Each structure stands twice: as C-alpha cells, then as structure tokens.
Amino acid sequence: MGQSWGCCFCIDQASVGVVEEWGRFLYLAQPGLHFVNPFCGRWLVGTLSTRVQYLDVRAETKTKDNVFVQLLCSIQYRILREKADDAFYELQAPREQIQAYVFDVVRACVPKMSLDDLFEQKGDVADSVSEELDKVMGNYGYSIEQTLIVDIIPDASVRRAMNEINAAQRMRVASEFKGEAEKILQVKHAEGDAESKYLAGVGVSRQRQAITDGLKESVITFANGVNGTSAKEVMEMVMLTQYFDTMKEIGSSSRSSSVFLPHGPGHVKDVAEQVRSGYLQATSAV
C-alpha cells in the first residue's frame, strides 16, 4: 500500500497516505511518489485502502412467531478518499463498529416479522441495515456500498417442521388427484359395464329372434317337402334333434361340469312339450 525510504515514500494506486508533522495531521498523500523532510518533523504515519471491502456478519435473533434464526449479512464498504483522515483517526476498530450496528438493526427489525414474512421481506431488512450504517459510518469517512442478506437459517427443528408441512401439503394434493383419478376410472368402468350389459342383452334378444325365425322356416320347409306330416310333428322332431345335439355338446366338452337330467321316453316327451310351449310363446310375443 505504501513504501517509505527516509525522505521519500510511494503510495500505491487505490490507496491514500496520512502525513503528520510533529504528531499533528498535515495532509493526505495521493498515489505516487512523495518527498518529506524528516528534520522538519514530517513523516508518513500510515496508509488506507480505498478499495471496496466486505464484511460478513452472522446475527442471531428471533422472529415475531418466536422462531430463532441466524441472518448472514454481507456488508460492502469503502473509505472515502476525501475523508480518509476521519477514517484513520476517528475509528480504532471499524469492522467491529459495523458489526455492532448490524446486530442492533437486525435485532430491532426481525422481531416485528414472522418467519414467512422474513423470507419474503429480507430486502427490507437489508435496506434498513444499509440506511443505518450509511448514516452512522458516513460521519467517520466510510461509505456503505451494498448490504445483502445472503442467508436466513432457522433452527434445525424448525427446518424439519417446515419440510414436513410442505411434504404433507404436497401429499394432500397428490391424494386429491389420485382420488379424482380413481373416481373417473370407476365411473368409466361402470359406464363400460352398463354398455356391455346392454349390448349383451341386445345380442341375446337378436339371437333368440334369429333362432325363432330359423325354426319357423325349418318347420314350414319340412312340412311342405314331406306329405302327410303336420307342423306339430315336424316341430317335435326339430326340438328333439336340438335337444340331443345339446346333450352331445355337453358330454364332449372338456371343461363342462356334470349335469344331471331326468332322461327316458316319457321325459323326452315332456321336453318336447316344454320346447314347443316356449316356441309358441316366443312366436306370440313377436
């Protein structure tokens, strides 16, 4: 920042030197080479950097809803070149002074906010800190360039609770969507089942109509082709033929269950009567 060689000294760029004469401030030495007369009591007593410096301050306080938090504040400041003598003589520990004012402002502002408000309005806290620091430190030759709240750290138990609350809210939303999806699925399944049953009913109705029409046509064709036969006899013969075909299919199927039916000449006649009665009822319904 500065080098001295007896009667001359050099001040680096972005620095300023403080020259005294017999222990009294004389002038501020700007960057470059300077000559002094030590025999007249003049000498360089110190140098100050005019570069932007930063200070991280960790302040612990509590919010309005009694949650303890730590705020990490980053203070960017510099020494005003024209007031460097005030910065050199007035403050012995400027960094500690800045830190004390940050503590004071943070602990005055944050307790008025809830934790959620603090996260949303951290810029307001930074502005309050910057305004107070600039007002106070400006009297000592310091300029506050920027104040940032770079992190807000609640207690570990509070962070876990906040995460659990957020997770519960998301689970509730997910459950609502899942329930709605299951509802839609069940409704669609019911609609499909109803449509399937309706179409099955239509198919059974058409099947019975086709069977009735086929039997009717077969009886008429057989009666016209064979002389001396009545429609009743032809109908009985057709019904019995279908009855035996059905029994044959039941017996030949590998997946069929045991079926017990009364069987004999008399029972065959009963079956014919039942089939004929069903056919006549179906015909009258048509």
Side-chain angles (χ1 to χ4, degrees):
M1 296 178 65
Q3 299 178 0
S4 177
W5 304 281
C7 62
C8 64
F9 61 87
C10 182
I11 302 299
D12 297 335
Q13 187 66 31
S15 299
V16 62
V18 179
V19 179
E20 291 182 352
E21 184 179 36
W22 302 117
R24 184 185 57 154
F25 172 72
L26 185 60
Y27 67 89
L28 294 174
Q30 303 301 320
L33 181 63
H34 298 267
F35 294 92
V36 293
N37 186 357
F39 300 103
C40 296
R42 295 182 180 180
W43 53 81
L44 177 69
V45 295
T47 58
L48 295 172
S49 174
T50 57
R51 295 178 181 177
V52 175
Q53 305 177 58
Y54 76 94
L55 173 65
D56 287 336
V57 180
R58 186 181 294 268
E60 185 175 5
T61 182
K62 74 171 186 175
T63 61
K64 186 177 181 180
D65 46 357
N66 296 322
V67 177
F68 282 89
V69 295
Q70 291 185 358
L71 271 70
L72 183 59
C73 306
S74 180
I75 312 300
Q76 300 178 7
Y77 66 96
R78 70 189 309 166
I79 295 175
L80 298 174
R81 186 179 295 274
E82 62 275 10
K83 293 184 178 181
D85 54 329
D86 293 333
F88 187 81
Y89 290 105
E90 297 294 334
L91 289 181
Q92 184 176 0
R95 295 174 69 87
E96 287 76 5
Q97 188 80 8
I98 293 174
Q99 185 175 1
Y101 279 108
V102 171
F103 286 157
D104 181 68
V105 175
V106 167
R107 289 170 180 169
C109 294
V110 174
K112 300 178 183 179
M113 304 178 179
S114 64
L115 182 60
D116 292 337
D117 293 338
L118 177 60
F119 277 97
E120 295 175 359
Q121 303 175 17
K122 67 176 185 177
D124 296 340
V125 178
D127 292 340
S128 299
V129 173
S130 180
E131 182 180 354
E132 182 67 18
L133 286 177
D134 193 58
K135 180 175 63 177
V136 174
M137 300 303 293
N139 297 327
Y140 302 107
Y142 285 85
S143 172
I144 306 301
E145 299 297 321
Q146 188 66 265
T147 300
L148 301 174
I149 305 296
V150 296
D151 200 3
I152 300 174
I153 309 173
D155 186 76
S157 60
V158 176
R159 294 200 300 271
R160 287 195 298 270
M162 294 174 65
N163 291 333
E164 290 176 0
I165 292 173
N166 186 270
Q169 291 176 345
R170 293 182 181 273
M171 286 295 294
R172 184 180 65 182
V173 174
S175 299
E176 291 177 356
F177 278 104
K178 183 178 180 181
E180 190 66 24
E182 292 178 353
K183 175 183 175 182
I184 295 174
L185 183 62
Q186 292 179 0
V187 170
K188 293 299 181 181
H189 180 74
E191 292 177 353
D193 187 59
E195 184 68 18
S196 175
K197 290 180 178 179
Y198 170 76
L199 294 177
V202 173
V204 170
S205 175
R206 291 178 178 176
Q207 179 187 27
R208 291 176 178 175
Q209 180 66 39
I211 292 174
T212 302
D213 294 340
L215 290 175
K216 180 179 179 181
E217 183 179 354
S218 298
V219 170
I220 295 173
T221 302
F222 192 87
N224 294 332
V226 179
N227 296 326
T229 59
S230 64
K232 177 181 179 181
E233 294 174 347
V234 175
M235 186 63 186
E236 291 179 353
M237 184 183 68
V238 172
M239 293 297 102
L240 288 175
T241 302
Q242 290 187 345
Y243 172 76
F244 287 118
D245 290 341
T246 302
M247 296 295 294
K248 181 180 178 181
E249 290 179 1
I250 293 175
S252 62
S253 176
S254 60
R255 293 181 297 176
S256 61
S257 301
S258 298
V259 179
F260 296 93
L261 295 174
H263 192 70
H267 293 100
V268 172
K269 182 178 180 181
D270 294 339
V271 171
E273 292 293 338
Q274 293 174 8
V275 173
R276 182 169 62 253
S277 177
Y279 170 75
L280 293 176
Q281 292 178 2
T283 304
S284 63
V286 175

